[in-house]
Amino acid sequence: FNRACYNVQIGQAKNATAEAVREKVQEDLQAAFAIDPSLAQWAREDPDMDPLRKQAWFQELLAKQSA
């Protein structure tokens, strides 16, 4: 989870391509949620994830954790 937060912030700072950041963050979050599903709640509230909130893939990923 922390690596996903890091990648979001680094991607923003370096102005990295959205696709490159998305892939890294998505992989990290999927792995984190597989280990500890309660981290999905952190992802919903953590300000480090603010840049992702409006992105469909992020919303879908969190929705899967609620199901």
Side-chain angles (χ1 to χ4, degrees), residues 1-56:
F1 182 81
N2 287 335
R3 188 167 63 186
C5 292
Y6 170 80
N7 282 327
V8 170
Q9 298 306 309
I10 290 299
Q12 295 294 319
K14 289 186 175 180
N15 230 357
T17 63
E19 187 65 19
V21 172
R22 184 199 62 78
E23 287 176 4
K24 287 181 182 179
V25 172
Q26 188 171 13
E27 289 173 9
D28 291 342
L29 289 175
Q30 288 172 329
F33 297 163
I35 294 168
D36 184 355
S38 72
L39 289 173
Q41 187 59 38
W42 281 68
R44 287 181 182 89
E45 299 171 4
D46 192 321
D48 286 339
M49 297 294 161
D50 286 348
L52 306 179
R53 302 227 185 275
K54 293 183 180 181
Q55 296 188 27

Side-chain angles (χ1 to χ4, degrees), residues 26 33 44 53 55-67:
Q26 188 171 13
F33 297 163
R44 287 181 182 89
R53 302 227 185 275
Q55 296 188 27
W57 71 266
F58 184 71
Q59 294 171 5
E60 290 170 12
L61 184 62
L62 293 178
K64 288 179 185 175
Q65 296 305 310
S66 298

